[in-house]
Amino acid sequence: MTNGDGMRLSDYLTRDRTMILKGDTKSAVLDELIGALAGYIEGVSRKQLTDAVNKREALMSTGIGLGIAVPHVRMEGVSDAFVTVGISREGIHDFESMDEQPVRIIVLIVAPHDRHDLYIKLLATVVSLLKESSLRSRITAAETPEEIYTALTGDRT
Amino acid sequence: MTGIINLDSAQGHLSAMIVIGLAVFFGTIGGRIFERLRIPQVVGNIFIGLLLGQSVLGLISRDTIRSLESFSLFALSVIGFLIGGELHRDVFRKHGRRFLTIVLAEGLGAFIVVGLLVSWATWMITGNLATSIALGSVLGAISSATAPAATVNVLWEYKAGGPLTTTVFAIVAMDDALALILFSFTAAAATMLTGHGTIGIMASLGHVGWELAGGMMLGTVIGYLLNLLLRRAQDRDSSLAFIIGALALSTGIGKLIGVDTILASMALGFTIVNLAPRRSDKAFKIVEEFAPPIFVLFFVSVGAQLNVGGMAGWMWIIAFVYVIARTIGKFLGADIGSRLAKAPESVRKYLGLCLFSQAGVAVGLSISASHRFSGDLGMAIIMIIALTTFIAQIVGPPSVKHALKKAGEVGMRITEEDLIASYRVADMVNRSTKNFPPDTPLETVLSHIAETDELAYPVVDDTGKLLGVVSLNELRRSFMSRELNKFLVVYDMMEPPTSFVTEDTPLTQAVSLMKRLEVDFLPVVSAQDRNRLVGMLEQQKIRQAISREITRRTRVAEGETA
């Protein structure tokens, strides 16, 4: 999937970073998502990532409604942008989402500190994709991570 | 060519060179010290000259001074050139009649008051009426001249601009001519009165007429030629060479054909500035840049020429009367002239204070008088002018400075760099910038920036500590998707502060830091507590404030009342 600026989500999201989440709390699912990323990002520890994400969540929840959450953080020492996606079948009830609904789709975005442009573009791309309810249904109905990945990146280009 | 080295002349050269070196070196130091004491640097230069010269140490001999004479002439030409450059035609067109009235009034004022009081005092002392009137009238004529060099130097040093400054420029450029004319009359009359010779008034007048008219013609012709050369000269170096060459030629030829060399160089500067105002700006800037050591040397040698010790008792009294009378005459004349000319109040009130200086022309005329009148009369004129010149040169510049200050014309012609250098960050920081806590929703920020014109906003935590800066540039990216505005917070958009400055940082330093970092703004923190944010410093705001201030000052300098 590309948008007008040539942003391809597949450049930043890999198959093994899409998952069906096991946890049922905000901190548990965030930890799962961070765990999937930690191996990819050199020079930044899992703890550092967790701290940064939590610090941002403390300011204001990234649960933006419609069952979507987009935790995001810019960090020093990160060489490229990374995206990881997870879905929760039961929904996460303590995400403090804007519409106070449980969160089912969580997209974690980690971007290099000095790539403001890329950061905002990724956020915008993810948000505009997930605005479509048909896509949201496909993703939440996915049986396997593969299906999530395909729904997000594959068959729309 | 005998191949034998002429030791005498070699040594003569060497000593002159050493004197030049010492004079420039110590003269500059003296000037700096006086500047610290808030006294114009010229006084320091002259004071050092006095120390090194005839009056105290005697390190600079009369011979050396004589050997520097052509140099002094050149220095005066440089000064004349710069004064000529101040006389834009439109200023004359606008104020010409006003200037003429004031010049006549202040010059004649000094002439009449000095003439009467000195004649009277001399008569009381000597009992010889003819000699008294001769001395009084000649000294009166000499007293009407105002020395451009020292006066104008103060105007430059304090970057003065305004009605008073313009008037002073015009007067010092014009009243030497008046002095020459008065002198030719009175000298001829005095010669007949004291039976010293047979040069008639007409011959004497003709001579003066040639000195003035010839000088102006010479300067104008050379000015035209120099303008042609400058038009072709692309680079600074050859422009400088052409200008120095033209000044030296004008001085040398002027001396050769017996015209007033200062007037010639003024006409030269006047021609250049009025033929090509824009290009000549650069030319005058070049001259101003190389002029300082020349001025220092000149003023040191002025001080060195004076011999305060060698004067007869009665001459001190006459000198005293002369100073008082000249002061009264100049003040009265300036006041009356300003009233007649309907000059602005600042001119009427403070012009008198700007006219004390007396130097080159007065000393030159006194030397010329001493050639005419043998014995005591000639000696008295030289000594009295020497002593009073010294006094006038000590008192003159500080009183010009005082007048400029009172008239509010100090620093009115300042350049942007000078102005920036006069501020600290504290003077320019925007203290009312809105600070955002990191969790402020982007929507709130966007609606705020719509109402203000700042380029960047500080992000601070609840203790007031600076976390980062969010700039319009970053915020602009969020326009990409309106949905983002709802859930992004300012924390997502801010940059950590790349650098910051404290309130007490000189503005020049802050501006060059911004240039080096290629940023348009810098957060400003308290000098005492670097964790406490004071506000934002924006390059654009600085530029606006500076150019507003420059415009204001230029307006004042051009005589519009603010």
Side-chain angles (χ1 to χ4, degrees), chain B residues 196-465:
Chain B
H196 266 100
T198 51
I199 305 174
I201 288 189
M202 292 320 289
S204 181
L205 262 187
H207 185 69
V208 169
W210 166 242
E211 264 188 35
L212 300 181
M216 283 193 247
M217 281 192 295
L218 176 66
T220 309
V221 170
I222 295 185
Y224 264 102
L225 297 178
L226 177 60
N227 186 50
L228 288 181
L229 285 172
L230 287 181
R231 199 183 313 169
R232 253 150 251 203
Q234 297 296 329
D235 58 320
R236 194 186 167 285
D237 290 352
S238 50
S239 299
L240 176 60
F242 284 142
I243 294 168
I244 293 183
L247 279 173
L249 269 181
S250 140
T251 314
I253 297 174
K255 191 83 185 143
L256 191 70
I257 61 175
V259 300
D260 187 327
T261 57
I262 305 184
L263 201 59
S265 60
M266 278 187 201
L268 177 47
F270 179 80
T271 308
I272 293 279
V273 81
N274 287 300
L275 278 182
R278 180 105 39 94
R279 183 174 42 225
S280 62
D281 255 11
K282 223 190 297 164
F284 287 104
K285 203 158 205 150
I286 294 173
V287 175
E288 273 170 37
E289 273 168 21
F290 88 83
I294 296 179
F295 290 169
V296 169
L297 182 52
F298 173 70
F299 289 116
V300 169
S301 76
V302 167
Q305 281 169 44
L306 302 173
N307 183 0
V308 183
M311 287 180 55
W314 67 277
M315 293 183 191
W316 287 89
I317 299 173
I318 301 299
F320 178 73
V321 172
Y322 174 96
V323 170
I324 301 290
R326 183 167 178 265
T327 307
I328 296 173
K330 290 257 170 193
F331 260 97
L332 268 182
D335 187 274
I336 294 170
S338 308
R339 281 175 202 276
L340 288 176
K342 299 192 172 59
E345 199 193 344
S346 61
V347 174
R348 185 174 60 73
K349 271 185 160 165
Y350 305 115
L351 179 62
L353 282 171
C354 299
L355 305 176
F356 288 146
S357 281
Q358 162 179 306
V361 171
V363 173
L365 290 178
S366 74
I367 291 168
S368 150
S370 75
H371 289 309
R372 261 189 213 208
F373 309 106
S374 54
D376 268 3
L377 184 57
M379 198 58 210
I381 293 174
I382 280 217
M383 292 315 292
I384 290 167
I385 292 302
L387 177 65
T388 56
T389 296
F390 173 67
I391 297 170
Q393 290 300 65
I394 299 292
V395 177
S399 86
V400 174
K401 179 194 159 193
H402 179 70
L404 293 174
K405 245 189 180 163
K406 283 278 183 186
E409 297 191 5
V410 170
M412 290 298 162
R413 288 222 287 202
I414 205 161
T415 64
E416 233 166 81
E417 290 77 37
D418 291 332
L419 193 58
I420 290 177
S422 73
Y423 289 114
R424 288 187 174 276
V425 167
D427 302 317
M428 289 285 170
V429 59
N430 179 0
R431 290 166 206 276
S432 57
T433 330
K434 171 102 176 133
N435 298 349
F436 291 110
D439 59 351
T440 315
L442 205 55
E443 265 188 331
T444 314
V445 181
L446 291 175
S447 70
H448 180 81
I449 63 169
E451 291 156 19
T452 57
D453 64 343
E454 277 114 5
L455 284 179
Y457 302 87
V459 179
V460 294
D461 68 9
D462 44 11
T463 65
K465 185 174 185 278

Side-chain angles (χ1 to χ4, degrees), chain A:
Chain A
M1 157 78 199
T2 64
N3 70 2
D5 292 314
M7 164 71 62
R8 289 158 58 96
L9 198 54
S10 56
D11 287 344
Y12 305 97
L13 177 67
T14 55
R15 249 163 247 270
D16 57 341
R17 291 207 298 266
T18 49
M19 62 190 74
I20 294 167
L21 297 160
K22 299 181 189 82
D24 56 0
T25 62
K26 182 171 179 178
S27 63
V29 294
L30 284 179
D31 191 56
E32 281 179 65
L33 288 165
I34 290 167
L37 265 188
Y40 286 91
I41 305 177
E42 279 173 33
V44 176
S45 72
R46 185 165 176 162
K47 181 176 182 317
Q48 281 171 311
L49 258 175
T50 309
D51 287 348
V53 171
N54 287 340
K55 189 175 169 191
R56 171 59 185 84
E57 289 299 319
L59 292 171
M60 186 186 178
S61 170
T62 54
I64 60 174
L66 304 174
I68 308 164
V70 194
H72 52 91
V73 67
R74 278 180 302 154
M75 288 188 77
E76 259 179 271
V78 176
S79 56
D80 198 2
F82 297 90
V83 177
T84 168
V85 180
I87 60 168
S88 162
R89 298 209 190 281
E90 287 75 32
I92 310 299
H93 292 262
D94 67 345
F95 220 103
E96 298 165 285
S97 203
M98 280 174 173
D99 57 2
E100 293 171 12
Q101 296 300 306
V103 165
R104 295 180 192 281
I105 306 172
I106 307 172
V107 183
L108 172 64
I109 298 172
V110 177
H113 184 265
D114 50 358
R115 298 288 307 278
H116 219 126
D117 248 343
L118 175 62
Y119 180 58
I120 300 294
K121 263 186 202 159
L122 266 175
L123 277 165
T125 306
V126 169
V127 171
S128 70
L129 270 175
L130 295 178
K131 243 183 349 189
E132 279 180 47
S133 59
S134 61
L135 183 68
R136 283 203 305 278
S137 322
R138 273 186 65 191
I139 293 171
T140 44
E143 299 283 331
T144 61
E146 289 285 321
E147 285 175 45
I148 304 174
Y149 183 81
T150 314
L152 274 170
T153 63
D155 58 352
R156 293 167 133 250
T157 42

